[in-house]
Amino acid sequence: QVQLIESGGGLVQDGGSLRLSCAASGITFNSNTMGWFRQAPGKQREFVAAINRDGGRTSYADSVKGRITISRDNAKNTVYLQMNSLKADDTAVYYCAASRLQYYIGRIVSDYDYWGQGTQVTVSS
């Protein structure tokens, strides 16, 4: 019933760009904070970025701030992650997530209620 489907991953050169998309269904999209996390093999899932319900506030991990931009289009039930100046350390599976938290933008895995299956991003050096 609830589906978050990521797309847009792939292989890029060091310094390249990608835009990830996450299409949501089965939830009231504009009632959810949307976030992006990433997980490299053998590593913990880590926060990347999040955006509040109406898109007016965002939050970024320090490691990506200035290179990555999160946005959302509530009319399309879609959240995006624009990634520029990609580095090898950005290589990971990127996951879309939805949070029902009301008063702040969550930055940890347990703040989120629904998850997509992920899309692979590989940056070659």
Side-chain angles (χ1 to χ4, degrees), residues 24-71:
S25 61
I27 62 171
T28 304
F29 185 75
N30 62 7
S31 294
N32 282 263
T33 293
M34 301 300 298
W36 288 95
F37 290 73
R38 66 187 183 186
Q39 188 167 21
K43 303 296 183 182
Q44 296 290 320
R45 191 167 298 188
E46 66 175 353
F47 174 77
V48 177
I51 187 166
N52 78 324
R53 297 175 178 184
D54 66 8
R57 292 182 289 118
T58 58
S59 181
Y60 296 95
D62 289 342
S63 60
V64 304
K65 194 168 186 177
R67 300 188 296 118
I68 292 181
T69 302
I70 189 170
S71 62

Side-chain angles (χ1 to χ4, degrees), residues 9-16 18 20 37-46 48 63-64 67-68 83-95 119-125:
L11 174 65
V12 297
Q13 295 287 328
D14 186 26
L18 283 175
L20 307 183
F37 290 73
R38 66 187 183 186
Q39 188 167 21
K43 303 296 183 182
Q44 296 290 320
R45 191 167 298 188
E46 66 175 353
V48 177
S63 60
V64 304
R67 300 188 296 118
I68 292 181
M83 303 189 293
N84 302 320
S85 301
L86 286 165
K87 304 176 179 181
D89 287 347
D90 296 315
T91 295
V93 176
Y94 283 71
Y95 295 91
T119 185
Q120 177 71 48
V121 172
T122 302
V123 184
S124 62
S125 58

